[in-house]
Amino acid sequence: MEAAFVLYPKMTALDFVGPFEVLASVPVVTTRFVAASLDPVTSDNGLSVVPTDTFDTLKSTDVVVVPGSGHWRELLADSGGVVEWLRAVHPTTKWTTSVCTGSTLLAEAGLVTRATTHWAAREDLEARGVEVSTDRVVFDGKVVSGAGVSAGIDMALRLVEAEFGEVVAQAVQCGIEYDPQPPRSYDSIPPEIAQGLQAAFDSRQA
């Protein structure tokens, strides 16, 4: 099985590194990194990744993983070819997935009807006609979305379970020693902290 990870400038690194670590732990999974060109792509915090393929050369794949970005509104205005490639490749996939605000790109491409996303992007997802869930992972047919950033690990583990079974998923989870403690979400933190976080994310979109 082949998994293609979408790269674009200002993406959030953990959005694709987390799912990559999970999926690459399954021996039968091969991975590719696809972008607009073969030039290195730099994440929002400076991690540079070299693509293996371009949107022009990779025409089909089994799994697509779309990371998010803290600059998602800027990306929605000009995706650099990501949205167009997603529309073209989606009919060939067994699973099309997103992490964090990557679900807004799936929505922009018209590929999803129900999804989750980072809490700061819920309104933007809803504005694109998507039923927004606050669940950590959402299956919508063959489209699977994970909530913010670290939820990409959960999404990938659920995907491994769906594709290869619970035993394999448990082995991968224990192998990477993923046992987040304590559980905490945007909806469960004190209002003053939530308001401060919202203000910080809003400032990025200005």
Side-chain angles (χ1 to χ4, degrees), residues 53-128:
D53 300 88
T54 69
F55 297 145
D56 290 331
T57 61
L58 190 63
K59 302 295 186 181
S60 66
T61 191
D62 300 309
V63 180
V64 168
V65 180
V66 185
S69 169
H71 305 269
W72 71 93
R73 288 176 187 155
E74 176 184 330
L75 184 64
L76 287 169
D78 180 9
S79 74
V82 173
V83 168
E84 291 77 10
W85 183 78
L86 288 172
R87 287 196 190 110
V89 79
H90 179 66
T92 77
T93 68
K94 185 170 186 180
W95 301 101
T96 299
T97 75
S98 67
V99 182
C100 196
T101 60
S103 58
T104 64
L105 290 169
L106 297 184
E108 189 72 9
L111 305 181
V112 64
T113 58
R114 182 175 183 268
T116 187
T117 191
H118 192 283
W119 51 262
R122 290 172 183 169
E123 290 183 1
D124 293 285
L125 188 58
E126 186 175 30
R128 283 160 177 79

Side-chain angles (χ1 to χ4, degrees), residues 2-13:
E2 180 182 270
F5 296 81
V6 179
L7 306 179
Y8 56 83
K10 297 182 182 179
M11 63 196 172
T12 299

Side-chain angles (χ1 to χ4, degrees), residues 34-50:
V34 60
S37 75
L38 294 178
D39 295 332
V41 180
T42 304
S43 74
D44 51 6
N45 285 327
L47 178 68
S48 185
V49 184
V50 179

